[in-house]
């Protein structure tokens, strides 16, 4: 069993920054692919970024150049640094874990409870 707990969400003005954190326990963290997803009201959950155990990263086109995913295996924590935030980034952000790697929601087997990010214009 894997437990994931996100933190760091909040309200920020357009152009601002936030850093999300996700603390993991249960599975061998260093070998897991960790992903960030988001879900806006009335929309489906969508892929944002992932990082594999070896450090390979992948980003959604909508966040490339603005968001950075990283991990600290000593702390069992994955981060999402979000810069140049825009109102369309407003969503609940979820941390997720899987073996292997990929971008589909269905391929991740453990999820956190989510943290709200709201960007005002």
């Amino acid at each position: 069993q894997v437990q994931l707990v996100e933190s760091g969400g909040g309200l920020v003005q357009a152009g601002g920054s936030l850093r999300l954190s996700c603390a993991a326990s249960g599975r061998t963290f260093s070998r897991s692919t960790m992903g960030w997803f988001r879900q806006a009201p009335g929309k489906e959950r969508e892929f944002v970024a992932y990082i594999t155990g070896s450090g390979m990263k992948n980003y959604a086109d909508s966040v490339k150049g603005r968001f950075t995913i990283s991990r600290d295996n000593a702390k069992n924590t994955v981060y999402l640094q979000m810069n140049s935030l825009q109102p369309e980034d407003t969503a609940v952000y979820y941390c997720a874990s899987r073996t292997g790697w990929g971008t589909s929601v269905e391929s991740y087997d453990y999820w956190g409870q989510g943290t709200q990010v709201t960007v005002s214009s």
Side-chain angles (χ1 to χ4, degrees):
Q1 195 73 9
V2 175
Q3 294 78 43
L4 302 173
V5 180
E6 303 98 333
S7 60
L11 173 64
V12 64
Q13 289 188 331
S17 298
L18 283 174
R19 189 177 82 154
L20 305 183
S21 300
C22 173
S25 63
R27 173 186 276 166
T28 304
F29 178 80
S30 63
R31 294 200 296 264
S32 298
T33 288
M34 301 300 297
W36 285 99
F37 293 77
R38 66 187 182 186
Q39 188 166 18
K43 295 188 176 182
E44 294 187 350
R45 194 170 298 189
E46 64 176 7
F47 167 75
V48 174
Y50 72 68
I51 183 167
T52 68
S54 62
M56 182 175 68
K57 303 175 185 180
N58 191 18
Y59 297 94
D61 288 343
S62 59
V63 306
K64 279 181 183 176
R66 300 189 299 123
F67 291 11
T68 301
I69 190 170
S70 61
R71 65 192 297 160
D72 185 336
N73 289 338
K75 295 182 178 180
N76 281 9
T77 301
V78 62
Y79 304 98
L80 186 68
Q81 177 67 44
M82 305 185 295
N83 299 330
S84 302
L85 283 162
Q86 299 301 316
E88 52 266 35
D89 295 316
T90 295
V92 177
Y93 283 71
Y94 296 90
C95 172
S97 172
R98 61 165 290 172
T99 57
W101 61 86
T103 63
S104 68
V105 171
E106 296 75 17
S107 67
Y108 285 75
D109 45 8
Y110 295 101
W111 293 83
Q113 82 289 350
T115 185
Q116 177 70 46
V117 172
T118 303
V119 185
S120 63
S121 57

